[in-house]
Amino acid sequence: MLFNACHKGNSYTVDRHNGINAAGLIYDRKGGTHKNNAKTFLMLQIENHLSPSTLEEAYETLTSVPGSLVLGGCGYIRLGDRTISNAIDLSNLGLNFVHGTKSEVEIGAMTTLRTIETDALCQSLWHGLLPRSVENIVGVQLRNCVTIGGTVAGRYPFSDPLTALLALDARLQFYHYGEISLEEFFTGQGLKDILVKIIIPKRGQIGAFQSVRRAKTDYAVLNAAVTKTGDDYRIVVGARPGRAVLVPEASDYLSSNGLNETTARKAGNIAAASLQFGDNPRGSGEYRKAICPVLIARALMEVHHAA
Amino acid sequence: MQLETTINGRNVTLDFAGGEFLYETLRRYGYLSVKQGCDTSSCGLCTVWLDGKPALSCSTLTARVAGHEITTIEALQDDAREFAEYMVAEGAEQCGFCSPGFTMTVLAMKRELDNPDEAAINHYLAGNLCRCSGYKGQMRAIKKYMGVA
Amino acid sequence: MDFVGKEIPKIDGLGLVKGTPAYTSDLDIGENALIVKILRSPHASARIRTIDTSEAEAIPGVECVLTHLNTPTTRFTLAGQSFPEPSPYDRRIVDNHMRYVGDEVAIVAAVDERTALAALKKIKVDYELLTPVLNLEEALDNPVRVHPQQPFTNFPIGNDAARNIAASHYTEQGDVEGELAASEVVMEQTYTTQAQAHAMMETYRATTSFDVNGRLQVMSSTQIPYHVRRHLSRVLGIPRSKIKVLKPRVGGGFGGKQTASVEIFPAIVTMKTGKPARLVYTRQETFTCTTSRHAMQLTVRLGADRDGTIRAIDIYCLSDTGAYGEHAPTVFWVVGQKTLPLYGKAKACRYHGHALYTNKPPGGALRGYGATQGTFALESAINELAAKLDMDPTELRAKNLLGEGETHPELCGSTPGNPATLGSSSLHRCIEKGKALIGWDEKFPKVIVNDTKVRGYGMAVTMQGSGIAKIDTASVLIKLNEDGFFTLSHSASDMGQGSDTILAQIGAEVLEIDMDQIVVASFDLDTLPYDPGAYASSGAYVTGNAARLAAEDMKAQMRCAVASLQGVSPDAVTYGDGVFTIGSEKTMTLSELAQTLCSFNGKDMLIAKGTFGGETSPPPFIAGFAEVEVDLETGEAQVTDYVAVADCGTVLNKNLALIQVEGGVAMGIGLGLYEEVRYSGKGRLSTNSFMEYKIPSRLDIHSIRVAFEESYEPTGPYGAKSIGEVVCNTPAPAISAAVANATGVQVRSLPITAEKVLLGMIKNNVDPR
């Protein structure tokens, strides 16, 4: 079954069974394979590379010129064999920033994952949840390229930072649409719009991130992030292999019963029972279901000890 | 397409095709140290510096480097030589094909990290794959080069 | 000794680390070459009904499109082996029968890459889809034939295409069934290994052109320049004298470049167009459309007495050679040849089975060459037998392993009635040293770390060879240059392991000169002596012996020349450290001699040669010990410590030998834990990138500790044996045993993933804590 993972940023199609297909044998955007060629080459053609100087210009182009695509960090763009008639490059819009206000942190859409990893503010907040969620992604030279905006717009089901952002109750600000919660963005149809920034509330959340990976620089077989704000919990599981989701049943249980080693495990079991897990090449649904309580319990105990 | 950028301290005008990646452009302009090992942003062989930071030239659109500074190992021969002495003393370079990109990351690490331990070194260099060495000889060379225990 | 055994830096090392242009794609610039791309089959099994290339050919800039209709019908093998090659001649340049997803449909050459890729899309192919054979278990006697015609073989290898058999083998010593029946304990298990990828960092590539003399010039990243020339000559129908092969630095090979996977494509383009042509494989083509380690299914039966005396070993093997039979027979033989002699004290042993054709990407040579697969199976079985006998696996081995000076009929170099002798082995000492290093006596079988972590311990031993006995024959030339320095020429094809350096070390040792007084030529085949190439662990031993002979010859020639110039007998001339002494006081330097010999006064330019071929293939050995930490809640296993103790005879270069072991162990850890190979239901290789096929990163490789327990190989140069391949064999079985000791779960199919371990524990319903 194919589903389109995004509508902007790095348009990228993911096959649920084959996971992240590598360059060349990735299915094309219409979901079919070439009739007479096992594609072992890829060619990217960009007919127009536009670097608008205002968000308005970027948005106008995106909505008025057919075949327009917003470039993110381009970590995946070469995986597709395709022609982009209009590539919209947001590099010159000053969207590479991490700002803290009294109540929020704003991260510009073009901020690289490496910036998030090394930014002092990101490191100091949420028990380092956000840096923890990007540090396993391949290597510094890739993290210096790929952007948080591309990751969010891609809504990649295997993503680590998206799991963390959902646990942090992040909101997104689009140029035209305005604000939308990440949760709503995940469940919606996507937006033909320009992502400007990600807004994360500063509520004193303590966060933790856990994942199982087949090799350290591989994508997660399953990942989990939790945040604790007083007696409130947000528990998120991603790479199921479906997209990251909140597990309110588990959070509610903890809010009512408090957090200790036993309840942490119980919350994990509740999550495992209430979530859907599936098979992909990195792991079976059965295995994911088996490790889900472990990751949640470990993340919960981490926040418990940090609190 | 055409743009102006800086490569190894020189202002240059690059001609390139739409959708071309920096790796291809650099090779075409004679920066032959830059190698490619994969098509999936996985191996680190193509690492150059973009504004002083290690970046994958295979995943950087050439169209994006206008006004930026690109550095390849051709411009860092003295630094590379210093590190290379430690590498060859361990025999750790082996086939050498991953070495230029790896060395660029090591040189960036030296500028970025203070007194890193093994875990920090491994973390910084995780994006540079090597099939020959098993990484241990590289680590011995790096620790001597960085002067860390 | 001044150089042998020392930590000599690799002579090309500094330049490589600094990024000096040195590889094929760095040196083939300025050719303005056509770019070659290949259209590939999307089907695992299909026949081309029609193919229409007219639209592709009409694109401006497209210079030629080649298909089965306009390429030679000659069938051949691409395996780099000494003639007559054992591999079956079962492929064409381009066939009309597609045998795997990725098989060549058409070759396109165009002025640039974009034009070539555009042309690929314009080729119209009408396929008749055939039922593919995708499972090894179903290949034998399947009514669907992968090869409808019976391929030619140079001699009988048991190839029977009607049964999908690429090669068959049966060897038995003693009465296996009788001994098994008489054994007090019999153990039988089946083990499977995956089609590991070489994953060398430089993908396959070659560039061809006609040189100024009208010869076909082929620059290639290859381990086998001489075999490449022979193959091209046969397939293209031109004499070898008309082909010039250039071998630049090679960016890793690991056996992959022991198959001439790409040279033929640009070569035929150059032949057809007269123009230079360049082919660089993508990473995906490298994964999909070249060779990989033969996936195997091995059933091992062991018979033993309760005291641990192994009476019989029986290995039945099915090897998946995929669509073509490159290295199919030889890899298959080596499985038995490099395992059975280990337990040579057993009264009976047998190795048998088939290498089978399937509609999958072809198998081939990969570091270890069958020994790796065989070692995983046999050593896993030995560990399981030890558990069954309640014996320490190191003791079981000590009791049964063949020792130095003993003979075994399966050792390479044996002939009927004349079993070869194991000339050197310190394997028993390697085991003792490894036990001490890992802390075996205190820690085996496991140590509980905490509530969720257990460390298991496991071990394995292995052997390889040093060249192919009675076949591999290499030559080295040494020339005395006019200034007194030497040029050592060889074609053992350094691919990073450092053979250029090792051979120069041997030359410098014999000639008593500094390393910088010997330059190595290994680039242009026109100037190089014959060598089969870099494979079968032959560099240090076979070519190393040739280098020593050449250097000795040079020394003798120089003394004779000095004697002749001085009018004395050669006995009156002594040589040491670059200076000849005539009689008691008169001296002559190397430089003085060289200048004289090259001039009118001397007229005796000196060139020395050495040629060597081994009567035996002395095995190096390794005892490997794994400490594996398993997360009992997730099943994740990581090798927290690996101890490898190696017997490679005399260590010629401490650093290079050390890196060979460390790198080989890392590759073995990859085989054991990380490198999963997957196919789609229709036979497409889906692990075709570094994103999907995970070779270990530096975060996955923890402590590797290496020690050398030297033996002295009487037939080796300075007592040396090989080291390049033996290194990757022990990790998989040692890790498997360690995981079993930690968790009670015995994973018999590679790789050992966290999922297999955890679900195995759940199924066993045993908490090992």
Side-chain angles (χ1 to χ4, degrees):
Chain A
M1 174 178 145
L2 290 161
F3 63 94
N4 204 334
C6 67
H7 294 246
K8 53 185 20 56
N10 296 320
S11 180
Y12 178 66
T13 315
V14 176
D15 180 324
R16 284 178 74 122
H17 295 289
N18 289 305
I20 309 123
N21 256 300
L25 291 183
I26 194 163
Y27 292 93
D28 71 26
R29 293 167 75 190
K30 295 186 183 71
T33 50
H34 268 241
K35 280 270 182 311
N36 62 352
N37 184 5
K39 289 194 290 173
T40 41
F41 306 103
L42 298 165
M43 188 167 48
L44 172 69
Q45 296 211 58
I46 295 178
E47 287 162 1
N48 288 300
H49 188 104
L50 305 171
S51 300
S53 49
T54 65
L55 279 166
E56 182 183 4
E57 188 188 338
Y59 180 75
E60 285 306 317
T61 310
L62 176 68
T63 49
S64 64
V65 183
S68 290
L69 186 89
V70 179
L71 297 178
C74 296
Y76 292 134
I77 198 167
R78 55 179 302 130
L79 304 194
D81 183 21
R82 61 176 163 189
T83 297
I84 298 169
S85 49
N86 241 2
I88 302 172
D89 188 340
L90 308 181
S91 296
N92 297 338
L93 297 179
L95 298 181
N96 182 0
F97 60 80
V98 179
H99 289 325
T101 68
K102 206 169 180 184
S103 59
E104 290 169 342
V105 173
E106 298 183 343
I107 302 176
M110 291 300 282
T111 306
T112 68
L113 298 191
R114 179 69 179 161
T115 298
I116 290 172
E117 179 186 359
T118 55
D119 180 81
L121 185 61
C122 289
Q123 286 182 344
S124 69
L125 289 171
W126 315 306
H127 195 53
L129 169 57
L130 218 42
R132 292 294 85 71
S133 75
V134 298
E135 68 187 9
N136 293 314
I137 299 171
V138 187
V140 291
Q141 49 277 78
L142 179 70
R143 298 198 294 278
N144 272 329
C145 295
V146 295
T147 60
I148 193 67
T151 302
V152 168
R155 302 198 291 184
Y156 303 118
F158 48 80
S159 168
D160 293 335
L162 293 186
T163 298
L165 285 171
L166 192 54
L168 288 167
D169 199 12
R171 304 193 310 284
L172 312 176
Q173 186 175 79
F174 284 90
Y175 171 75
H176 180 76
Y177 183 89
E179 278 194 23
I180 182 173
S181 73
L182 184 64
E183 190 180 357
E184 197 183 334
F185 179 64
F186 274 4
T187 50
Q189 293 299 303
L191 295 167
K192 198 175 182 68
D193 204 340
I194 305 287
L195 177 64
V196 180
K197 61 189 172 188
I198 295 129
I199 304 159
I200 308 171
K202 281 162 69 178
R203 298 178 192 141
Q205 307 102 308
I206 298 163
F209 179 82
Q210 289 280 333
S211 66
V212 163
R213 322 173 94 81
R214 298 175 61 136
K216 288 287 192 327
T217 59
D218 197 5
Y219 295 95
V221 178
L222 191 77
N223 61 33
V226 304
T227 56
K228 177 181 191 306
T229 314
D231 289 330
D232 287 337
Y233 297 86
R234 285 175 72 88
I235 297 175
V236 180
V237 180
R240 300 168 294 112
R243 201 175 286 153
V245 288
L246 282 157
V247 197
E249 299 88 339
S251 315
D252 293 347
Y253 168 79
L254 283 177
S255 297
S256 315
N257 295 280
L259 176 56
N260 58 46
E261 208 156 318
T262 312
T263 58
R265 192 61 190 229
K266 184 79 196 293
N269 288 336
I270 291 170
S274 63
L275 291 174
Q276 295 283 325
F277 299 95
D279 299 346
N280 80 348
R282 284 181 170 69
S284 68
E286 184 188 5
Y287 177 65
R288 290 188 162 96
K289 197 179 175 81
I291 58 174
C292 175
V294 179
L295 297 192
I296 290 175
R298 287 180 182 180
L300 283 169
M301 290 317 292
E302 206 178 313
V303 301
H304 182 60
H305 292 308
Chain B
M1 296 182 185
Q2 203 174 64
L3 59 76
E4 292 190 3
T5 188
T6 306
I7 301 178
N8 295 340
R10 285 176 52 205
N11 297 325
V12 292
T13 304
L14 299 178
D15 287 301
F16 64 100
E20 186 171 308
F21 289 94
L22 182 57
Y23 159 79
E24 302 166 65
T25 317
L26 287 173
R27 292 278 310 180
R28 196 153 40 75
Y29 277 82
Y31 299 94
L32 298 177
S33 71
V34 187
K35 303 292 190 266
Q36 184 185 27
C38 73
D39 317 295
T40 50
S41 312
S42 312
C43 74
L45 263 67
C46 66
T47 303
V48 299
W49 291 358
L50 200 56
D51 299 331
K53 292 177 183 169
L56 294 172
S57 64
C58 77
S59 300
T60 300
L61 285 169
T62 302
R64 281 195 151 172
V65 303
H68 292 274
E69 272 185 37
I70 300 153
T71 311
T72 71
I73 204 168
E74 279 87 349
L76 297 168
Q77 286 289 289
D78 291 344
D79 293 337
R81 162 99 197 186
E82 187 192 351
F83 176 58
E85 295 279 0
Y86 291 98
M87 281 287 282
V88 302
E90 301 294 335
E93 75 285 0
Q94 292 287 293
C95 87
F97 203 71
C98 73
S99 290
F102 166 69
T103 302
M104 288 303 285
T105 318
V106 170
L107 298 184
M109 175 173 70
K110 185 157 192 198
R111 284 158 173 74
E112 201 174 324
L113 301 187
D114 243 1
N115 205 23
D117 60 10
E118 274 200 24
I121 292 169
N122 276 332
H123 182 247
Y124 197 95
L125 294 167
N128 289 92
L129 295 179
C130 167
R131 188 59 152 173
C132 294
S133 74
Y135 305 112
K136 300 287 115 185
Q138 291 184 351
M139 177 59 84
R140 290 190 289 273
I142 290 165
K143 284 164 80 171
K144 288 174 188 164
Y145 169 66
M146 303 277 287
V148 297
Chain C
M1 285 188 280
D2 293 326
F3 304 105
V4 165
K6 298 296 190 301
E7 299 155 356
I8 306 289
K10 216 146 64 62
I11 56 178
D12 52 353
L14 280 180
L16 294 181
V17 179
K18 287 163 60 191
T20 312
Y23 305 90
T24 297
S25 294
D26 303 340
L27 304 185
D28 69 355
I29 55 172
E31 296 262 36
N32 221 6
L34 299 175
I35 300 301
V36 179
K37 294 286 178 189
I38 297 172
L39 184 70
R40 299 189 176 278
S41 172
H43 306 297
S45 184
R47 201 178 298 276
I48 295 175
R49 282 200 200 98
T50 60
I51 182 164
D52 179 359
T53 59
S54 55
E55 276 187 49
E57 284 164 313
I59 296 175
V62 173
E63 296 268 344
C64 80
V65 180
L66 302 171
T67 68
H68 68 276
L69 298 170
N70 54 358
T71 50
T73 56
T74 318
R75 291 193 181 272
F76 55 88
T77 178
L78 294 171
Q81 303 180 296
S82 296
F83 185 81
E85 309 94 339
S87 297
Y89 288 13
D90 56 13
R91 64 160 86 222
R92 279 181 60 181
I93 300 176
V94 186
D95 208 340
N96 65 341
H97 183 172
M98 299 296 114
R99 296 187 174 86
Y100 73 97
V101 178
D103 215 346
E104 290 81 19
V105 175
I107 306 163
V108 168
V111 291
D112 59 33
E113 183 172 8
R114 279 162 195 261
T115 307
L117 292 176
L120 290 186
K121 293 182 178 168
K122 294 291 181 189
I123 298 173
K124 294 197 184 94
V125 189
D126 179 20
Y127 295 101
E128 175 196 352
L129 299 190
L130 307 172
T131 307
V133 180
L134 296 176
N135 291 320
L136 179 61
E137 296 86 349
E138 296 165 7
L140 187 63
D141 293 323
N142 193 305
V144 176
R145 284 178 68 161
V146 177
H147 286 269
Q149 316 91 327
Q150 176 63 33
F152 169 82
T153 58
N154 281 305
F155 51 86
I157 57 165
N159 184 295
D160 186 352
R163 303 182 63 200
N164 285 327
I165 297 175
S168 277
H169 188 58
Y170 186 99
T171 180
E172 182 171 6
Q173 308 293 340
D175 175 9
V176 166
E177 292 300 337
E179 289 296 328
L180 283 170
S183 296
E184 292 170 359
V185 178
V186 174
M187 223 277 313
E188 175 174 345
Q189 288 296 350
T190 297
Y191 304 87
T192 60
T193 65
Q194 76 276 40
Q196 186 179 29
H198 308 87
M200 71 296 275
M201 287 296 128
E202 181 199 35
T203 60
Y204 297 78
R205 59 198 63 196
T207 302
T208 54
S209 59
F210 281 115
D211 76 358
V212 69
N213 297 317
R215 298 167 75 214
L216 178 68
Q217 177 175 300
V218 182
M219 190 186 291
S220 171
S221 177
T222 181
Q223 297 172 223
I224 45 158
Y226 268 97
H227 297 331
V228 164
R229 188 167 76 178
R230 194 181 73 246
H231 288 332
L232 290 178
S233 162
R234 182 183 138 74
V235 180
L236 299 172
I238 53 174
R240 286 182 226 178
S241 59
K242 295 293 182 196
I243 303 173
K244 178 186 182 78
V245 176
L246 302 174
K247 180 215 71 87
R249 296 286 89 194
V250 175
F254 307 109
K257 294 170 184 173
Q258 193 199 337
T259 297
S261 290
V262 296
E263 292 84 351
I264 188 68
F265 302 118
I268 193 166
V269 167
T270 293
M271 294 294 290
K272 294 269 182 186
T273 63
K275 296 183 179 178
R278 175 185 301 144
L279 175 60
V280 177
Y281 266 11
T282 62
R283 178 55 63 186
Q284 187 170 9
E285 284 178 300
T286 294
F287 272 111
T288 308
C289 312
T290 67
T291 60
S292 58
R293 193 185 287 291
H294 287 89
M296 291 186 186
Q297 186 186 83
L298 305 107
T299 299
V300 181
R301 289 196 296 164
L302 299 176
D305 289 338
R306 292 204 190 282
D307 67 357
T309 303
I310 297 173
R311 300 175 66 127
I313 299 173
D314 183 31
I315 304 175
Y316 176 72
C317 178
L318 293 180
S319 167
D320 189 344
T321 197
Y324 299 101
E326 267 89 25
H327 302 278
T330 35
V331 166
F332 194 83
W333 304 338
V334 167
V335 173
Q337 195 178 68
K338 308 300 183 201
T339 53
L340 296 180
L342 281 170
Y343 299 95
K345 290 183 195 295
K347 286 194 181 121
C349 62
R350 176 167 61 184
Y351 173 66
H352 54 134
H354 314 285
L356 299 174
Y357 288 119
T358 61
N359 291 111
K360 298 223 287 268
L366 203 172
R367 193 185 209 177
Y369 204 85
T372 311
Q373 297 95 315
T375 301
F376 173 64
L378 179 58
E379 287 298 281
S380 293
I382 294 283
N383 285 327
E384 292 201 62
L385 175 67
K388 199 165 180 174
L389 294 169
D390 199 19
M391 249 182 111
D392 184 317
T394 62
E395 283 168 28
L396 178 61
R397 286 178 173 89
K399 193 177 171 77
N400 290 284
L401 288 171
L402 195 70
E404 189 171 282
E406 295 182 296
T407 63
H408 196 270
E410 296 293 335
L411 275 175
C412 187
S414 299
T415 51
N418 284 306
T421 303
L422 184 56
S424 59
S425 169
S426 66
L427 183 54
H428 287 81
R429 280 188 277 139
C430 292
I431 294 173
E432 287 309 311
K433 187 172 229 167
K435 284 175 72 172
L437 284 170
I438 199 101
W440 185 263
D441 289 339
E442 304 84 63
K443 294 170 176 170
F444 175 81
K446 70 176 171 192
V447 171
I448 291 168
V449 178
N450 60 34
D451 279 357
T452 60
K453 300 269 170 65
V454 173
R455 287 183 170 180
Y457 296 81
M459 62 91 60
V461 300
T462 189
M463 62 179 276
Q464 198 80 33
S466 301
I468 306 169
K470 298 180 170 64
I471 292 177
D472 281 347
T473 303
S475 295
V476 167
L477 300 180
I478 297 180
K479 172 170 68 111
L480 175 62
N481 295 301
E482 83 289 1
D483 186 34
F485 73 98
F486 297 89
T487 303
L488 183 152
S489 316
H490 76 96
S491 39
S493 211
D494 194 333
M495 55 180 145
Q497 81 279 39
S499 48
D500 280 5
T501 304
I502 301 266
L503 298 173
Q505 273 179 258
I506 292 173
E509 187 73 45
V510 174
L511 294 167
E512 302 178 49
I513 49 166
D514 285 340
M515 284 289 288
D516 62 6
Q517 290 300 297
I518 192 155
V519 299
V520 177
S522 58
F523 175 59
D524 179 350
L525 217 57
D526 284 348
T527 67
L528 308 178
Y530 182 81
D531 193 301
Y535 62 87
S537 292
S538 58
Y541 179 77
V542 180
T543 316
N545 265 322
R548 186 173 182 177
L549 292 170
E552 298 283 4
D553 179 26
M554 174 54 76
K555 208 151 99 173
Q557 286 193 41
M558 290 192 301
R559 282 176 57 218
C560 287
V562 171
S564 163
L565 288 171
Q566 301 292 334
V568 298
S569 103
D571 295 341
V573 179
T574 56
Y575 175 76
D577 296 330
V579 179
F580 298 90
T581 306
I582 304 104
S584 57
E585 53 203 57
K586 198 170 180 189
T587 61
M588 186 178 208
T589 64
L590 255 181
S591 174
E592 288 164 350
L593 173 67
Q595 286 177 33
T596 306
L597 292 177
C598 290
S599 73
F600 187 77
N601 291 336
K603 284 186 208 160
D604 190 13
M605 157 91 204
L606 297 189
I607 295 181
K609 72 169 170 64
T611 298
F612 180 83
E615 288 293 333
T616 60
S617 173
F621 295 96
I622 283 189
F625 295 78
E627 175 189 85
V628 180
E629 185 169 289
V630 182
D631 185 322
L632 299 174
E633 294 184 318
T634 62
E636 292 167 286
Q638 53 179 344
V639 180
T640 42
D641 191 18
Y642 200 90
V643 168
V645 185
D647 164 19
C648 57
T650 301
V651 177
L652 290 174
N653 183 318
K654 277 185 183 154
N655 279 352
L656 297 186
L658 172 62
I659 299 285
Q660 283 299 304
V661 183
E662 290 175 341
V665 166
M667 199 176 216
I669 291 173
L671 178 79
L673 289 181
Y674 301 114
E675 299 178 26
E676 186 168 73
V677 178
R678 301 185 294 265
Y679 304 88
S680 76
K682 293 186 174 169
R684 175 175 62 84
L685 182 73
S686 46
T687 42
N688 56 13
S689 70
F690 285 142
M691 197 183 265
E692 291 299 309
Y693 184 91
K694 299 307 286 187
I695 66 168
S697 75
R698 68 191 69 233
L699 295 175
D700 302 305
I701 301 297
H702 305 283
S703 168
I704 298 175
R705 292 185 290 153
V706 176
F708 292 95
E709 190 64 44
E710 289 186 313
S711 63
Y712 188 89
E713 170 51 42
T715 64
Y718 299 98
K721 299 187 281 191
S722 83
I723 189 67
E725 292 187 90
V726 68
V727 292
C728 63
N729 299 340
T730 61
I735 292 166
S736 174
V739 168
N741 288 329
T743 65
V745 177
Q746 186 81 44
V747 181
R748 299 189 183 89
S749 69
L750 297 178
I752 302 161
T753 61
E755 174 160 349
K756 289 177 191 172
V757 174
L758 186 72
L759 296 186
M761 286 168 62
I762 291 170
K763 190 175 155 216
N764 289 355
N765 198 20
V766 172
D767 188 334
R769 287 165 287 181

